[in-house]
Amino acid sequence: MTTTTTMVISHILRKRINIYCSQTGNSVLYNWTISDGFEDLMSTNQNLVHTFTTPGTYYVNATVYNAVSSKNNVTEVFVQDPVTGLSVTALPKVLGTNSDFATTLSTGSDYNCSWNFDDATPTEYTSEVSGTTLGASSYAHMYSAGGSYNVTVNCSNGVSSEAVSVMAVVQELITNLRMVKEGASKNTDYYLEWTVDAGTEITFNLTFDGSLIPTYTTVSKYKWRSPLQPARGASSIPLTLSAANEVGSDSISINFEILSVIVDPTLTTPEFNVSSHTPVPFTVDMAGGSGVTVHFDFGDGQTDVFTQTPGQEWSTPHTASHSFTAGGRFNVLASFSNAEGTYNLTTEVMVLVSVESIACNTSQYALYYPPANASLTLFGTTLPTEPTFTLNWGEPQSRDTTPELVLNTPYWHTFGDTGEFEVTVELANLMGEKTCKNTITVVEKLEGPSFKPEFAKAAVGLPYDVTFCLYRGPSGALCKLDYNFGDGNTKQTDRQANVAREGMDGCDIEPVVYNDYTTRNVMVNAKTPLETDTASTMIEVIDGVSDADIALPDPNDVSFGSPSQFELTYNGAIMPTDAQILVDYGDGTFLGPIPFSVATQGGTQTFSHTYSSDGLFEAVVTIYNDATRVNRTIMVGSYKQFSNLAADMFYLA
């Protein structure tokens, strides 16, 4: 048996397909299976008719068999919805923005669309967007020029196609609609002309004096005019103009002035040299004109406006009054304008302000870090007239400078050293002179407050030196030191003028006597005119070594080679705390330190030393602890015996 299967490859949804199977053989049966779930098994149907309900890709399997053999064939079938009901809409759009095209389809699947935008750009393509509702798609395109474009869209798939065209309108938005002139000369024929900054394919509606003017002509791309209007006398005529195109509209309403041209305008003032804050009259006049507006610019940032009553001829001068608050020369401008033209006139006024009212103020002190920055401010309510300004900051290398005079704003200067500097300001103009002298004291910054005592502890009942140091800072009256000794006593002093500076510790010493064993919190505040710095330290009070209580006589002379005996007697009633003894025997050898071992008043401590050479030696004995130190110098003799002593006789002539 031989078999051949013939199948339709593409199909329209919900239409039947015919599948024919040809073969040779007898007693043949057919098994039909389709991937949408359809089955017809052990069928005698050589032709299968089947309707698909959903678009997509399907596989049709046909098996032909009898008792002696079988044949099988599989065919792929593509099922699509036809493209129907295509429509495209486009709203008018402003040039330079996207033109949006909304598309709808009644049916269709697996389709692609081509877009021809009629503007010489390449054809663009879109495809079916998966998951969107049929008909709910859009596309955007930006045109580079205004106009009307015939846009063609063609959507197709494997079983059908459909094309539609839509007109896309792209126009410039109307902007700044205005009249070229808002008036005309009386007794003269005139045109009504108007313009815009942008806009295309505009339709205008012009109403003048209550009547519609139905026609107009194009003068240039953005300019139009009415037919020639007949001459009128001086009057004010209502005018309404509206403009519209597909993407926008604009309108204006004015009174169109029929007026006289401006003839021989004048600007006068009786005052050319005035004081500040004094009203100055400025009078404008003309031989003829109507619908006139006069703009005054007084040259000091202030302005004024006078507008003539519409429809009236100029008949009376107008005076504007103005008070100048600053001194100087001011060019006053009067601008005369109506619909027929503009005329500008100027006059000069000298406002006289003396330098006498200027107050000079400087920083009294400046902090030297280094360097130091200080300011000078010239205070005043009115800038003097044409002043000269000389400034010298008073440093040895300073020179006179001539900066621009600005009131109520600080001038800054950097000082390179400490000291007192006389700042000199010289001001002058036609009305007088003024000199200011101010002293700026540059004060060194306080840095590194610390305590550097000779002894870590204080001895009860004995003077203790509180040693306060600054790594950097001023001296004398510029730096006050406030001492709090921690026992209720305080003291204020000027920092010593001769202490070290320039980055070296300079120290001040103040003595204090503590009469009990309480540990003291000692605090010192260093104050300058610009700042305060503080340091503190804890001082423990112990028993010290009293010089008056020590007896240490010179040892007796000894024969060379014999030990010299040293005897120290301590007569104090209270023994020093943790005292030590150090001895320099004067021959390059030392003893100690050894503990101070006297335990009772009048007790002694002895030690001996044998000198390696004979002679008289200066020995130094130091008795000390953490609060005190006592040094005693004694003479020690170690001598050899005389031998072979002989006497020589001689006579004196």
Side-chain angles (χ1 to χ4, degrees):
M1 177 184 66
T2 62
T3 63
T4 301
T5 303
T6 303
M7 302 191 184
V8 177
I9 297 177
S10 307
H11 187 66
I12 301 175
L13 182 63
R14 284 179 284 276
K15 297 292 185 181
R16 296 182 299 174
I17 66 169
N18 295 304
I19 307 173
Y20 173 75
C21 181
S22 65
Q23 83 288 329
T24 61
N26 52 36
S27 302
V28 175
L29 294 176
Y30 302 89
N31 286 341
W32 298 93
T33 61
I34 302 177
S35 59
D36 64 353
F38 173 83
E39 288 184 343
D40 185 6
L41 305 178
M42 300 179 67
S43 173
T44 59
N45 293 324
Q46 183 179 2
N47 297 318
L48 176 66
V49 177
H50 182 72
T51 300
F52 291 92
T53 59
T54 305
T57 301
Y58 299 92
Y59 297 95
V60 179
N61 189 321
T63 302
V64 183
Y65 63 95
N66 60 14
V68 296
S69 65
S70 67
K71 293 293 183 179
N72 177 263
N73 195 358
V74 177
T75 297
E76 187 177 52
V77 178
F78 301 97
V79 179
Q80 296 176 330
D81 266 340
V83 176
T84 64
L86 174 62
S87 68
V88 180
T89 58
L91 297 176
K93 283 295 181 178
V94 176
L95 180 64
T97 63
N98 280 330
S99 294
D100 297 317
F101 299 88
T103 62
T104 60
L105 278 174
S106 298
T107 64
S109 65
D110 298 328
Y111 57 86
N112 293 304
C113 299
S114 64
W115 297 76
N116 186 324
F117 292 103
D118 192 27
D119 62 349
T121 59
T123 299
E124 299 180 23
Y125 298 90
T126 60
S127 59
E128 179 184 9
V129 180
S130 176
T132 62
T133 303
L134 193 64
S137 60
S138 64
Y139 195 67
H141 180 74
M142 184 178 290
Y143 287 93
S144 60
S148 296
Y149 299 90
N150 186 24
V151 180
T152 301
V153 183
N154 189 324
C155 295
S156 63
N157 60 12
V159 296
S160 65
S161 67
E162 191 165 322
V164 297
S165 295
V166 64
M167 191 63 66
V169 176
V170 180
Q171 296 177 335
E172 289 184 355
L173 188 67
I174 301 170
T175 58
N176 197 19
L177 175 65
R178 62 195 183 278
M179 300 301 296
V180 175
K181 288 187 177 182
E182 295 187 357
S185 298
K186 67 179 182 178
N187 302 323
T188 303
D189 294 343
Y190 57 93
Y191 291 100
L192 302 175
E193 293 185 327
W194 60 93
T195 186
V196 294
D197 288 345
T200 53
E201 301 180 53
I202 306 174
T203 299
F204 297 99
N205 190 313
L206 174 62
T207 300
F208 186 59
D209 200 13
S211 299
L212 179 66
I213 298 179
T215 61
Y216 52 87
T217 58
T218 301
V219 178
S220 61
K221 181 179 180 180
Y222 295 125
K223 186 177 180 182
W224 299 263
R225 71 163 53 138
S226 71
L228 188 64
Q229 302 296 303
R232 299 180 183 230
S235 57
S236 181
I237 306 171
L239 179 151
T240 301
L241 175 64
S242 62
N245 62 9
E246 296 285 347
V247 295
S249 62
D250 199 359
S251 64
I252 56 173
S253 293
I254 64 168
N255 286 322
F256 192 85
E257 303 295 335
I258 305 298
L259 42 77
S260 300
V261 297
I262 298 172
V263 179
D264 297 333
T266 60
L267 169 65
T268 59
T269 179
E271 305 291 345
F272 294 98
N273 296 300
V274 299
S275 300
S276 64
H277 301 88
T278 299
V280 181
F282 296 93
T283 300
V284 291
D285 200 0
M286 64 188 73
S290 63
V292 178
T293 298
V294 183
H295 291 266
F296 293 91
D297 184 341
F298 298 105
D300 61 354
Q302 302 298 312
T303 60
D304 195 6
V305 178
F306 167 71
T307 301
Q308 185 184 10
T309 303
Q312 292 186 1
E313 293 287 340
W314 185 278
S315 59
T316 305
H318 172 75
T319 298
S321 181
H322 181 67
S323 297
F324 295 89
T325 58
R329 297 178 187 269
F330 296 91
N331 285 317
V332 179
L333 168 68
S335 181
F336 303 76
S337 62
N338 64 9
E340 281 297 297
T342 299
Y343 301 86
N344 294 325
L345 298 177
T346 61
T347 187
E348 185 180 80
V349 175
M350 171 75 83
V351 181
L352 304 177
V353 177
S354 172
V355 297
E356 297 290 338
S357 60
I358 302 301
C360 307
N361 182 271
T362 61
S363 311
Q364 185 176 359
Y365 298 96
L367 186 64
Y368 184 74
Y369 199 19
N373 295 311
S375 66
L376 160 75
T377 303
L378 302 178
F379 290 101
T381 58
T382 304
L383 189 68
T385 305
E386 298 181 352
T388 61
F389 170 32
T390 302
L391 172 61
N392 190 303
W393 288 97
E395 288 188 285
Q397 71 276 17
S398 291
R399 297 181 179 180
D400 290 347
T401 61
T402 56
E404 179 185 358
L405 178 60
V406 180
L407 298 182
N408 309 314
T409 300
Y411 296 85
W412 288 93
H413 181 71
T414 298
F415 287 93
D417 201 357
T418 59
E420 291 188 350
F421 302 94
E422 186 177 71
V423 181
T424 302
V425 173
E426 295 180 346
L427 298 167
N429 65 2
L430 294 174
M431 280 68 74
E433 299 178 351
K434 182 171 185 175
T435 299
C436 304
K437 292 183 181 293
N438 294 72
T439 297
I440 296 177
T441 302
V442 179
V443 181
E444 192 168 18
K445 181 176 177 57
L446 297 174
E447 281 192 66
S450 63
F451 291 92
K452 295 192 175 181
E454 181 182 4
F455 297 101
K457 301 176 183 179
V460 66
L462 296 178
Y464 175 77
D465 290 336
V466 175
T467 305
F468 175 74
C469 305
L470 284 169
Y471 179 75
R472 186 186 295 276
S475 303
L478 289 176
C479 185
K480 302 289 186 183
L481 300 181
D482 290 328
Y483 290 84
N484 185 329
F485 296 106
D487 61 350
N489 292 315
T490 60
K491 185 177 182 180
Q492 184 182 80
T493 66
D494 291 343
R495 188 168 181 237
Q496 295 179 17
N498 61 347
V499 297
R501 56 170 295 226
E502 298 298 339
M504 299 174 60
D505 286 316
C507 301
D508 288 71
I509 297 175
E510 284 296 326
V512 62
V513 176
Y514 296 114
N515 294 314
D516 57 48
Y517 297 99
T518 303
T519 298
R520 310 294 180 176
N521 182 16
V522 178
M523 181 178 296
V524 179
N525 288 332
K527 297 180 180 179
T528 72
L530 297 175
E531 57 179 341
T532 299
D533 211 343
T534 302
S536 62
T537 186
M538 302 300 293
I539 303 297
E540 183 182 348
V541 182
I542 62 174
D543 289 311
V545 180
S546 173
D547 184 56
D549 292 331
I550 295 174
L552 185 60
D554 294 342
N556 294 326
D557 295 338
V558 297
S559 297
F560 174 68
S562 299
S564 298
Q565 300 296 323
F566 298 80
E567 183 177 85
L568 183 153
T569 302
Y570 194 77
N571 297 311
I574 299 175
M575 298 301 106
T577 303
D578 298 328
Q580 302 282 316
I581 297 176
L582 180 65
V583 182
D584 178 355
Y585 287 115
D587 61 350
T589 63
F590 298 87
L591 172 66
I594 61 174
F596 178 82
S597 60
V598 178
T600 60
Q601 185 176 13
T604 61
Q605 183 171 350
T606 61
F607 42 91
S608 63
H609 178 66
T610 301
Y611 287 88
S612 59
S613 60
D614 62 328
L616 181 64
F617 300 91
E618 185 177 88
V620 178
V621 180
T622 303
I623 306 96
Y624 66 96
N625 64 4
D626 287 343
T628 50
R629 179 185 296 104
V630 174
N631 292 323
R632 287 294 180 87
T633 301
I634 55 178
M635 304 306 296
V636 184
S638 178
Y639 303 107
K640 292 180 179 180
Q641 297 290 332
F642 290 111
S643 62
N644 298 320
L645 182 64
D648 291 330
M649 301 293 292
F650 61 91
Y651 296 95
L652 296 175

